[in-house]
Amino acid sequence: MTNETTAPASGSIMVVGGGISGLTTALEAAEVGYEVYLVEKNPYLGGLVAQLNQYFPKLCPPTCGLEINFRRIKDNPRIKVLTLASVEKVEGGPGSYDVAVTIKPRYVNEKCTACGDCAEACGAEVTDDFNFGMAKTKGAYLPFEMAFPARYVLSPEIIGTDAAQKAKDACKYGAIDLEMQAKTLNLNVGAIVWATGWEPYDATKIDNLGFGQYDNIITNMMMERLAAPNGPTKGKILRPSDNAAPQSVAFVQCAGSRDENHLPYCSYICCMASLKQATYVRERYPEAKIYIFYIDLRAPGQRYEKFYQTIKEDENVFFIKGKVAEVSEDADSKAVTVIAENAVTGEKTKQTVDLVVLATGMQPTAANAKLPADLKYNPDGFIINDFEKGGMFAAGCANKPADVVSSNQNATGMALKAIQTLARK
Ligand SMILES: Cc1cc2nc3c(=O)[nH]c(=O)nc-3n(C[C@H](O)[C@H](O)[C@H](O)COP(=O)(O)OP(=O)(O)OC[C@H]3O[C@@H](n4cnc5c(N)ncnc54)[C@H](O)[C@@H]3O)c2cc1C
Ligand code: SF4
Ligand code: SF4
């Protein structure tokens, strides 16, 4: 036993990706005494979880959990948060990696009080990526109200325009620096955890499901934003073509997943996401009819199975076992028709609804942009953990499709692996 209050830790760990997995790894390592660099490409932390309306199965807002993590980060001087940052180069081996990190300009410095005057003054609007393009945001913006860091950012699209100058003139704290340049940091760390997460599979690639061709076919992540109180419709679920309240909604499961032409694997969370989103619809529209087209419904474990059983009790939720062959929209009425072969009766099923949600799956970010490090990937782009080699590890959805609970468990394990690398130095 010892009376020491500080952990006998030395050395630094880099965590790449500031989603829920990266936050967990960073906090677990820092809270036992290690110095952590948390590298996030977005101007804010939280990853895709920050864009969700509620968590299954408890149906609580993810912002609560995120806020607790943000507070822990604020209270921990051992974590250095780098936003708008990406790793350019990694050299070395376990125990000593030289890493070059590039930081893009935010055009707003630490004097920002998040007062919002620049947004009011700038006048320009840009596409709101946080809301998947379903809204516009100001050229000077805070990505969402609980963003961490709570600091505005200027869109590169307005740099060099009058709008940027107006934003700068409106800032009474001298927080806007239009001359800010990209910079590179050269850091030495003992271990790296890649928590680079996932992206929604590009639904425009699934031709027969009509996304991008018709207004009233949306993805499950768009549904999260429609249902969110801070989303483009302030939490009202409205069909995009005319902002009407939908009286019927169909969910198309395995949209792209478990399909050799797209993602050959099961994305693990999209059955639960659709069951959860059925509750979003029911909460707003007590009489709405909800149709869930599925191949197999996957609700792993006791809590998820219980959640599924609760939804099944709703007599206006219809489960149709059958792979969807086609989704199309009527040009006049804007009603959407889903065609599937019913695997139970063998009949062709045709269902017309007001809104269709495609349960699109998860694709690892590394599938489309390989990381600048000596990593092993499986054929789908998930990073394989090579524990024999050690030094670099993948956490959360960078490693496999996962919900938040399993991402956190995996991320905690990878914090330990990173610590062991330093301890062996
Ligand atoms: C429709 C839908 C609903 C869902 N609902 C739930 C739910 O209710 N409950 C639940 O448990 N799970 C839910 N999930 C799953 C949940 O979103 C994931 O488990 C979670 O996002 C995993 O977190 P992550 O940190 O691994 O990845 P991400 O959330 O993707 O975070 C990765 C982070 O890394 C950053 N990044 C990526 N590449 C780089 C790079 N090269 N350099 C620097 N930074 C980088 C990204 O910007 C991002 O911030 C849902 C998923 C979907 C599709
Ligand atoms: S940059 Fe200036 S004007 Fe804009 S939110 Fe920050 S402090 Fe306010
Ligand atoms: S979780 Fe469900 S919808 Fe998603 S790929 Fe697996 S079976 Fe299909």
Side-chain angles (χ1 to χ4, degrees):
M1 295 293 286
T2 166
N3 289 330
E4 285 276 346
T5 48
T6 49
S10 73
S12 304
I13 295 167
M14 180 171 287
V15 178
V16 187
I20 196 72
S21 304
L23 288 171
T24 303
T25 302
L27 282 161
E28 295 296 345
E31 287 177 358
V32 292
Y34 290 86
E35 186 179 46
V36 177
Y37 294 101
L38 181 54
V39 176
E40 167 56 53
K41 69 176 178 185
N42 281 333
Y44 59 89
L45 300 181
L48 272 296
V49 158
Q51 288 161 283
L52 301 179
N53 172 44
Q54 289 177 339
Y55 269 155
F56 56 70
K58 276 171 122 186
L59 300 180
C60 52
T63 37
C64 291
L66 283 177
E67 265 203 316
I68 294 170
N69 284 328
F70 296 159
R71 208 169 319 127
R72 285 166 73 194
I73 287 184
K74 266 192 227 158
D75 292 346
N76 198 319
R78 292 193 189 97
I79 304 182
K80 311 272 178 299
V81 175
L82 306 172
T83 49
L84 288 165
S86 54
V87 172
E88 295 303 322
K89 199 167 66 178
V90 177
E91 281 170 357
S96 178
Y97 291 99
D98 291 313
V99 188
V101 176
T102 300
I103 303 183
K104 286 190 198 156
R106 178 184 273 269
Y107 303 106
V108 177
N109 62 33
E110 60 292 337
K111 292 184 209 155
C112 176
T113 62
C115 69
D117 289 352
C118 53
E120 283 298 311
C122 91
E125 290 196 324
V126 296
T127 303
D128 185 357
D129 293 330
F130 192 77
N131 284 313
F132 298 101
M134 291 186 287
K136 293 270 184 193
T137 187
K138 293 282 166 54
Y141 66 98
L142 192 64
F144 60 105
E145 63 269 36
M146 274 187 256
F148 183 89
R151 194 188 298 177
Y152 273 59
V153 53
L154 261 59
S155 163
E157 282 179 48
I158 70 160
I159 298 305
T161 69
D162 279 358
Q165 192 58 48
K166 283 185 194 158
K168 180 178 164 65
D169 294 345
C171 181
K172 36 187 185 294
Y173 301 96
I176 295 185
D177 173 3
L178 298 178
E179 307 306 319
M180 207 180 264
Q181 300 290 322
K183 59 179 179 190
T184 301
L185 301 179
N186 293 305
L187 302 167
N188 183 267
V189 295
I192 305 176
V193 176
W194 299 91
T196 45
W198 63 281
E199 291 165 346
Y201 184 65
D202 179 0
T204 59
K205 290 185 179 163
I206 324 166
D207 289 341
N208 56 323
L209 299 186
F211 180 79
Q213 302 163 45
Y214 306 111
D215 291 337
N216 293 329
I217 302 171
I218 62 171
T219 66
N220 48 9
M221 279 308 292
M222 290 166 80
M223 180 58 138
E224 292 292 333
R225 295 312 304 146
L226 285 183
N230 64 354
T233 52
K234 306 271 174 277
K236 290 183 182 149
I237 296 174
L238 304 173
R239 65 174 199 170
S241 68
D242 54 5
N243 282 337
Q247 289 311 311
S248 50
V249 179
F251 291 89
V252 176
Q253 298 309 113
C254 301
S257 302
R258 304 174 69 201
D259 183 334
E260 288 301 326
N261 296 315
H262 300 284
L263 307 175
Y265 50 88
C266 168
S267 289
Y268 188 81
I269 44 74
C270 18
C271 279
M272 282 302 293
S274 293
L275 294 171
K276 172 183 70 169
Q277 294 181 353
T279 71
Y280 297 170
V281 176
R282 177 59 66 242
E283 198 186 12
R284 288 155 184 83
Y285 305 113
E287 306 298 326
K289 304 263 190 272
I290 299 167
Y291 303 89
I292 301 180
F293 291 86
Y294 69 98
I295 305 174
D296 303 291
L297 266 176
R298 295 185 172 169
Q302 192 197 21
R303 287 167 81 211
Y304 290 175
E305 177 66 20
K306 219 168 156 186
F307 189 77
Y308 166 45
Q309 294 303 336
T310 317
I311 308 295
K312 261 174 68 173
E313 282 167 19
D314 184 326
E315 56 185 22
N316 276 323
V317 177
F318 306 96
F319 290 90
I320 304 119
K321 187 171 171 67
K323 191 170 164 69
V324 170
E326 194 189 326
V327 186
S328 60
E329 189 179 282
D330 184 84
D332 299 324
S333 69
K334 297 288 177 188
V336 194
T337 300
V338 181
I339 298 175
E341 185 176 335
N342 189 315
V344 178
T345 63
E347 286 166 6
K348 200 170 169 186
T349 305
K350 214 172 165 186
Q351 185 64 55
T352 298
V353 292
D354 293 334
L355 180 69
V356 165
V357 182
L358 303 182
T360 39
M362 290 187 165
Q363 188 164 39
T365 50
N368 295 318
K370 287 277 176 294
L371 296 160
D374 184 17
L375 295 163
K376 274 193 199 162
Y377 301 90
N378 79 4
D380 304 312
F382 291 101
I383 304 168
I384 298 170
N385 272 318
D386 184 347
F387 293 121
E388 222 159 274
K389 188 169 159 205
M392 294 199 283
F393 310 96
C397 292
N399 175 241
K400 61 174 189 228
D403 58 358
V404 169
V405 172
S406 358
S407 292
N408 282 342
Q409 288 165 346
N410 176 265
T412 304
M414 293 314 127
L416 183 58
K417 286 286 172 194
I419 290 169
Q420 286 172 344
T421 308
L422 296 193
R424 285 194 197 113
K425 224 164 81 163

